[in-house]
Amino acid sequence: MQLVRTTSDSPDFQYLTKLFDTFLIDIDGDEKDFFAQYNQIYIPNVVICYEDGIAVGCGAIKTYDEKTGEIKRMFVHPEHRNKGIAMSVLQELETWAKELAFTSCILETSHKLVNAIALYQKFGYQPIPNYGQYIGVASSVCLKKELQ
């Protein structure tokens, strides 16, 4: 397994996020267009996980405010799940967040993504009120972690 830091311009990141967007159609249903508008942005801090030279997972972190990074676009290809890829990507994103002088990370996920929520909670993320564009979105679960 190899983790590579890059940007959202990476063709491998774009490939994985297209798979993720297809996956999310079933999750988000009628809200898919609402969420999609926030995912078509340039992100300078992307981590891609490669296994035998193949991109199998990704995640990104973008600035939310001066002290807070927002974890975005966490995804592992379905054929490569349960191998610790998401944990490795999340750890690398948190390391990068500290290097960027963030003191905390926030994220939003769907209440339907129970495994993702469990992963984040295992890493110390705690529920917070919905923030930003997710205020009032019943299907959103927002979490935060103070970085050490």
Side-chain angles (χ1 to χ4, degrees), residues 75-139:
F75 178 72
V76 175
H77 192 290
E79 294 175 10
H80 296 274
R81 293 188 178 153
N82 301 312
K83 297 180 179 180
I85 293 167
M87 291 189 318
S88 295
V89 170
L90 186 56
Q91 286 174 325
E92 183 67 12
L93 289 171
E94 288 181 357
T95 297
W96 205 352
K98 291 176 198 175
E99 292 170 14
L100 294 168
F102 293 134
T103 57
S104 63
C105 287
I106 58 173
L107 62 87
E108 180 276 343
T109 192
S110 170
H111 71 279
K112 293 180 182 177
L113 296 177
V114 178
N115 290 340
I117 294 168
L119 170 73
Y120 297 133
Q121 289 179 330
K122 179 179 178 180
F123 269 74
Y125 286 79
Q126 299 295 318
I128 59 171
N130 287 11
Y131 60 88
Q133 67 266 25
Y134 308 113
I135 294 172
V137 179
S139 63

